[in-house]
Amino acid sequence: MVGKVITKSKDITRVTLDVEEIPKKWYNIAADLPGGLPPALNPGTKEPLKPEEWEAIFPKGLIKQELSTDRFIKIPDEVRTALAQFGRPSPLYRARRLEKALRTPARIYYKREDLSPVGSHKPNTAIAQAYYNFAEGIEHLTTETGAGQWGSALSMATAYFGMKCTVFMVRSSYDQKPYRKYVMKLYGANVYPSPSDKTAFGRKTQAEDPDCPGSLGIAISEAIETAVGTPNSKYSLGSVLNHVMLHQTVIGQEVRAQLAKIDERPDRMIACVGGGSNFAGFTFPFIYDKLKGKNDARFIAVEPESVPSLTGCSSGESRYDYDFGDTAGMTPLLKMHTLGHDFMPDPIHAGGLRYHGMAPTVSALYDKGMIEAEALPQDETFAAGMLFTRTEGLIAAPESCHAIASAIRHAQECKRENKEEVIVFNLSGHGLLDLQNYATMLGM
Amino acid sequence: MVGKVITKSKDITRVTLDVEEIPKKWYNIAADLPGGLPPALNPGTKEPLKPEEWEAIFPKGLIKQELSTDRFIKIPDEVRTALAQFGRPSPLYRARRLEKALRTPARIYYKREDLSPVGSHKPNTAIAQAYYNFAEGIEHLTTETGAGQWGSALSMATAYFGMKCTVFMVRSSYDQKPYRKYVMKLYGANVYPSPSDKTAFGRKTQAEDPDCPGSLGIAISEAIETAVGTPNSKYSLGSVLNHVMLHQTVIGQEVRAQLAKIDERPDRMIACVGGGSNFAGFTFPFIYDKLKGKNDARFIAVEPESVPSLTGCSSGESRYDYDFGDTAGMTPLLKMHTLGHDFMPDPIHAGGLRYHGMAPTVSALYDKGMIEAEALPQDETFAAGMLFTRTEGLIAAPESCHAIASAIRHAQECKRENKEEVIVFNLSGHGLLDLQNYATMLGM
């Protein structure tokens, strides 16, 4: 069944899709990366990691995806059903009121990943990961979370499949953002502040620095240690790895179908990057199209000035090299743009963008010049978020405010250059549980 | 264009409508109330309030609706466009996973009013009220809010129409629930804790009781005083009055269209009641149908045990009589079920259900035996909310948890009596900004 363009008046455009239009396949960019995706390495041997070496932490179904070079991977019916339960397909909106406020000739669209029950794009992979673990009889997943978006999504997904979930939450967020902790507990998850006393690495970290505020890298180490040491348990990662990226491509595939319905073609596609998954999910299907000559879009990854894993490469702050995904060095080595696995980020408000590395797929694309990157200052992103609230009516996550701020910059450039370009950004999440950050930044 | 039934598998049913299916008319139950709706009275003369007496606080367009006995009132295109911008029509879900957990033969459906940008049904009337004021050149609206749902909705609606907004927020909520205060400020509203020092009544109240935690009645008095004393300003009420009730009937009209698409007929329709607006909007179109012999449903209003404005009538705790809508006695007299306008409610977590009175329309229906009422204890409602989160994946507002808890009771009754009945409840809002209440009640 075909979805419809909805243009009720000059003041609104909302493009919806039917449940049947949830994509049936994931797109795997590993099939199309020039030179292929650099493999993950065993830290000891420096040899490409063998499938069986992944098995301590991941189920076979996900390892197969992680190592796959198949361009398309079928989405199981059980996953599509769960995606529908939790709100997919999500609508695409035209930001007419924002355009008007900016007096730009550009047409601005945004994809609404904020409408999932946990308020972000994270369920797209959480559901898939929980499913593949569930299908292999795993009863318990462990993971890390920063501000709590990912932990909430995995807690929801494990509840859906009747599994247990243990989340190590960066201590500073655990203390400062109690609401997302409660979300996870309401779904039935065990939530511990990291560094915790539940793992050897957590206890060691606490001993060295009793006031350690934690980091995603530390929390990953604790989650992996717990998965490895607990029967019938696996670990789940919310970003970075390629199976995560490909799960997110439902976003871009929906956007493609939605833009096609209104005969639009994107000129600039913008998303924020922490580990890279919402950017990947949003842009990869369009990068595939561009390789086939079907569009000539620019793809812009937006990061915080204080965590310049991509943009810091020119100044030497970051490098494109093999590094660990976590702080303790328990993960395989991944080739990525990295600030160093011992990087301790500023306590900026966009917790989801504080990760030291960048997904190997996104890194490879950046290295090859196939995507661009921008770094934005925090105050500009919150001011952009406020303008978005007052024009479009929605409260964006601090992470998503980076995409909004960049879209505004590009719309202003279009105004100066009188270009009627099509700017599309990904509204990766809502900011209802980040209102204290808004209040602090905007002096409310 | 016709919407579609979506039944992807045995595990999900989601019924959506297209934007074109946003109702084109509001239903006004005043046309069908046996004996008519008792008029509001002038407190001095005890005579029915004349239209011009309403004009100090409301615009003519809304007064006309308030006094109308027309069965249907056309929804202006500008209002339908704004309703679409903010997410209408909303989907109807079948709670298959909740049914399974309860092992009930009943089929349970819920309407998702939680998907609006401010997370409740309140924008349905906020948008309409802002529009009619805007259309008459009013530049500033004042209102009261308890937990903040209504204040957030009016702040969003006034921002949409480029108007100013002043919100008096019950002081206990202002202090304990900073997030919704920030939502209102982010939309650009002025927000003051009530009792405040901004009004004569607020100062008087503070002088008499410096520790006064506030109440909706006090905040209404302050908002009215401010509207009357400020040039080009009017007052806006989020519940109780009939123009509010009829604006909410978009909910029930959508549910009617959605149930028709899947050939279902409701047996029991359940919604929580504070002032009565989500219950009214959800049920009134079906009450109209029942009067025409098109259904034989029961309509169940659920209130907290500690605020028994309907159910307290039998014990004498409440009475069906003329009373003020506010504490200071500045409003007209309304015939309603009331606990007394000086009622000071327990500080229960469902702030939206703490109002001393009940909408005159809902009260009249209850008095005539056309609807039923139930009072539920607070702990049962939160336990029901947690079960709903773990089965359906959504976090409901504490107010909506009353409807969930009642739906569960009725589903259990259906199980005992082996009845395959259709239970439909209104999920009036999400609980993302009420997580501290969950944490307190569930000991998280």
Side-chain angles (χ1 to χ4, degrees):
Chain A
M1 202 172 284
V2 181
K4 290 137 302 293
V5 182
I6 289 150
T7 310
K8 279 309 296 173
S9 78
K10 280 188 298 183
D11 293 327
I12 183 172
T13 305
R14 182 172 80 184
V15 189
T16 57
L17 298 174
D18 295 329
V19 162
E20 300 95 293
E21 293 175 282
I22 292 174
K24 295 188 171 57
K25 294 171 183 175
W26 289 302
Y27 168 59
N28 177 14
I29 204 163
D32 293 307
L33 271 182
L37 182 62
L41 302 183
N42 179 312
T45 65
K46 302 282 159 55
E47 291 295 315
L49 212 67
K50 299 188 190 81
E52 56 272 24
E53 291 179 283
W54 286 103
E55 287 179 17
I57 54 173
F58 293 130
K60 290 187 179 70
L62 293 176
I63 296 167
K64 192 176 162 196
Q65 290 178 7
E66 183 63 28
L67 302 175
S68 173
T69 53
D70 293 347
R71 184 167 287 118
F72 299 107
I73 294 170
K74 183 179 182 300
I75 305 179
D77 286 344
E78 294 86 342
V79 171
R80 294 182 76 237
T81 297
L83 291 174
Q85 168 87 32
F86 298 126
R88 299 214 77 84
S90 71
L92 181 79
Y93 274 67
R94 178 159 170 198
R96 290 192 189 263
R97 295 170 58 85
L98 178 61
E99 291 171 18
K100 202 172 165 188
L102 297 172
R103 297 199 184 92
T104 178
R107 296 192 292 285
I108 307 174
Y109 294 88
Y110 54 96
K111 177 68 167 169
R112 290 200 55 188
E113 292 300 304
D114 61 310
L115 286 169
S116 80
V118 295
S120 80
H121 66 293
K122 294 288 188 184
N124 297 330
T125 186
I127 290 164
Q129 291 191 46
Y131 167 74
Y132 283 103
N133 278 285
F134 170 77
E136 293 181 27
I138 301 302
E139 294 170 349
H140 172 222
L141 290 180
T142 72
T143 198
E144 74 292 335
T145 198
Q149 295 269 25
W150 168 241
S152 302
L154 194 68
S155 300
M156 182 185 83
T158 47
Y160 181 86
F161 288 105
M163 302 163 76
K164 288 180 192 157
C165 190
T166 298
V167 183
F168 291 89
M169 185 174 189
V170 174
R171 184 175 289 275
S172 57
S173 294
Y174 186 93
D175 293 337
Q176 289 160 26
K177 298 208 164 184
Y179 277 28
R180 283 224 177 80
K181 171 178 68 188
Y182 298 146
V183 171
M184 294 181 259
K185 290 185 175 185
L186 206 47
Y187 283 116
N190 299 310
V191 189
Y192 303 117
S194 169
S196 77
D197 59 3
K198 303 286 170 190
T199 68
F201 184 69
R203 289 187 292 270
K204 176 169 167 285
T205 306
Q206 278 191 320
E208 285 166 11
D209 177 6
D211 297 326
C212 178
S215 72
L216 274 178
I218 295 168
I220 293 173
S221 300
E222 290 204 273
I224 291 178
E225 185 184 324
T226 304
V228 171
T230 311
N232 216 8
S233 300
K234 298 284 181 191
Y235 165 72
S236 178
L237 187 67
S239 193
V240 180
L241 293 177
N242 194 36
H243 66 275
V244 181
M245 303 293 128
L246 66 87
H247 294 159
Q248 292 291 355
T249 61
V250 292
I251 303 173
Q253 292 182 73
E254 287 180 10
V255 173
R256 181 163 56 188
Q258 287 164 320
L259 288 177
K261 281 179 204 293
I262 51 172
D263 285 324
E264 286 281 35
R265 190 181 292 223
D267 295 304
R268 310 183 194 203
M269 297 197 70
I270 300 170
C272 64
V273 282
S277 78
N278 97 79
F279 175 83
F282 180 64
T283 62
F284 284 5
F286 288 90
I287 293 175
Y288 173 67
D289 288 354
K290 186 175 181 179
L291 289 170
K292 289 169 63 181
K294 289 190 179 174
N295 71 50
D296 193 30
R298 294 167 58 188
F299 305 102
I300 299 146
V302 191
E303 57 190 12
E305 270 187 352
S306 57
V307 193
S309 49
L310 293 174
T311 56
C313 216
S314 52
S315 66
E317 278 182 276
S318 70
R319 61 186 201 281
Y320 181 46
D321 200 358
Y322 273 99
D323 194 5
F324 291 106
D326 69 330
T327 304
M330 297 177 72
T331 70
L333 290 168
L334 301 169
K335 182 139 187 212
M336 59 185 179
H337 286 82
T338 175
L339 295 152
H341 66 272
D342 55 355
F343 175 75
M344 192 57 78
D346 283 355
I348 57 165
H349 294 297
L353 306 184
R354 278 198 290 247
Y355 187 62
H356 69 271
M358 184 56 61
T361 47
V362 175
S363 292
L365 290 164
Y366 186 62
D367 184 60
K368 302 246 181 292
M370 296 169 73
I371 63 170
E372 305 167 44
E374 292 173 359
L376 293 188
Q378 184 167 238
D379 52 356
E380 179 178 338
T381 64
F382 277 96
M386 189 168 76
L387 178 61
F388 188 69
T389 299
R390 293 190 182 179
T391 51
E392 295 297 313
L394 302 173
I395 298 173
E399 294 82 2
S400 314
C401 286
H402 287 72
I404 296 169
S406 172
I408 289 172
R409 281 190 180 192
H410 283 271
Q412 286 166 334
E413 187 184 291
C414 288
K415 183 183 176 188
R416 285 193 302 275
E417 300 174 1
N418 200 25
K419 287 182 178 168
E420 282 189 30
E421 296 204 359
V422 173
I423 299 168
V424 192
F425 71 85
N426 195 27
L427 185 65
S428 56
H430 69 60
L432 291 178
L433 301 187
D434 307 283
L435 283 159
Q436 187 61 56
N437 309 69
Y438 274 94
T440 302
M441 286 299 297
L442 300 171
M444 295 193 307
Chain B
M1 201 173 284
V2 182
K4 289 139 301 292
V5 182
I6 289 149
T7 311
K8 279 310 295 174
S9 77
K10 280 188 299 183
D11 293 327
I12 181 172
T13 305
R14 182 171 80 185
V15 189
T16 59
L17 298 174
D18 295 330
V19 162
E20 300 95 293
E21 292 174 283
I22 292 174
K24 294 186 171 61
K25 294 170 181 175
W26 289 303
Y27 167 60
N28 177 14
I29 203 164
D32 293 307
L33 271 182
L37 182 63
L41 302 183
N42 179 313
T45 65
K46 302 280 159 58
E47 291 294 316
L49 212 68
K50 299 188 189 83
E52 55 271 26
E53 291 180 281
W54 286 102
E55 287 180 17
I57 54 172
F58 293 130
K60 292 187 179 67
L62 293 176
I63 297 167
K64 193 175 160 197
Q65 290 178 7
E66 184 61 30
L67 302 174
S68 173
T69 52
D70 293 346
R71 183 167 289 119
F72 299 106
I73 294 171
K74 184 181 182 296
I75 305 179
D77 286 345
E78 294 87 341
V79 172
R80 294 181 75 237
T81 297
L83 291 174
Q85 169 85 33
F86 298 126
R88 299 215 76 84
S90 70
L92 180 79
Y93 275 67
R94 177 158 170 200
R96 289 191 189 265
R97 295 169 58 84
L98 177 61
E99 290 170 17
K100 202 173 165 187
L102 298 171
R103 297 201 185 92
T104 177
R107 297 191 293 284
I108 307 174
Y109 294 88
Y110 54 96
K111 177 68 166 170
R112 290 200 54 189
E113 292 301 302
D114 61 309
L115 286 168
S116 81
V118 294
S120 80
H121 67 293
K122 294 288 187 184
N124 297 330
T125 185
I127 289 165
Q129 292 192 46
Y131 167 74
Y132 282 102
N133 278 285
F134 170 77
E136 293 181 27
I138 301 302
E139 292 169 350
H140 172 220
L141 291 180
T142 71
T143 198
E144 74 292 334
T145 198
Q149 295 271 25
W150 167 242
S152 302
L154 194 68
S155 300
M156 182 185 83
T158 48
Y160 181 86
F161 288 105
M163 303 163 77
K164 288 180 194 157
C165 189
T166 297
V167 182
F168 291 90
M169 184 174 189
V170 174
R171 184 176 287 276
S172 57
S173 294
Y174 186 92
D175 293 337
Q176 289 160 26
K177 298 210 164 182
Y179 277 27
R180 284 225 177 80
K181 170 177 72 189
Y182 298 145
V183 171
M184 294 182 259
K185 290 186 174 184
L186 206 47
Y187 284 115
N190 300 309
V191 188
Y192 304 117
S194 168
S196 77
D197 58 3
K198 303 286 169 191
T199 68
F201 183 70
R203 289 187 292 271
K204 175 168 168 285
T205 307
Q206 279 190 322
E208 286 166 10
D209 177 6
D211 297 325
C212 178
S215 72
L216 273 177
I218 295 168
I220 293 174
S221 300
E222 291 205 273
I224 291 178
E225 184 184 325
T226 303
V228 171
T230 311
N232 215 8
S233 300
K234 297 284 182 192
Y235 165 71
S236 179
L237 187 67
S239 194
V240 180
L241 294 176
N242 194 34
H243 66 275
V244 181
M245 302 294 129
L246 65 88
H247 294 158
Q248 292 292 355
T249 60
V250 292
I251 302 172
Q253 291 181 73
E254 287 179 10
V255 173
R256 179 162 57 188
Q258 289 164 318
L259 289 178
K261 280 178 202 295
I262 51 173
D263 286 323
E264 285 281 34
R265 189 182 293 222
D267 295 303
R268 310 184 193 202
M269 298 195 70
I270 299 170
C272 64
V273 283
S277 78
N278 98 77
F279 174 82
F282 179 65
T283 61
F284 284 6
F286 287 90
I287 292 174
Y288 172 65
D289 288 354
K290 187 174 180 178
L291 289 170
K292 289 169 63 182
K294 289 188 179 177
N295 71 49
D296 193 31
R298 294 167 57 187
F299 306 101
I300 299 146
V302 190
E303 58 189 11
E305 270 188 353
S306 57
V307 192
S309 49
L310 293 175
T311 55
C313 216
S314 51
S315 66
E317 279 182 274
S318 70
R319 62 185 202 280
Y320 181 45
D321 200 357
Y322 273 98
D323 194 5
F324 291 106
D326 68 331
T327 304
M330 298 178 71
T331 69
L333 291 167
L334 301 170
K335 182 141 188 208
M336 57 186 181
H337 287 81
T338 175
L339 295 152
H341 66 273
D342 55 356
F343 175 75
M344 192 58 76
D346 282 355
I348 56 165
H349 293 297
L353 306 185
R354 277 197 291 246
Y355 187 62
H356 69 272
M358 184 55 61
T361 46
V362 175
S363 292
L365 289 164
Y366 187 62
D367 185 59
K368 302 248 182 290
M370 295 169 73
I371 63 170
E372 304 167 43
E374 292 174 356
L376 293 189
Q378 183 167 238
D379 52 355
E380 180 178 339
T381 65
F382 277 95
M386 188 169 77
L387 178 61
F388 188 68
T389 299
R390 294 190 181 179
T391 51
E392 295 298 311
L394 302 173
I395 297 172
E399 293 82 2
S400 314
C401 286
H402 288 72
I404 297 169
S406 172
I408 290 172
R409 281 190 181 192
H410 284 271
Q412 286 166 333
E413 186 183 293
C414 288
K415 184 182 173 187
R416 284 193 303 274
E417 300 174 0
N418 200 25
K419 288 182 179 170
E420 282 189 32
E421 296 205 359
V422 173
I423 299 169
V424 192
F425 70 87
N426 196 25
L427 185 64
S428 56
H430 69 60
L432 291 178
L433 301 187
D434 306 283
L435 283 159
Q436 187 61 57
N437 309 69
Y438 274 96
T440 302
M441 285 301 295
L442 300 172
M444 295 192 307

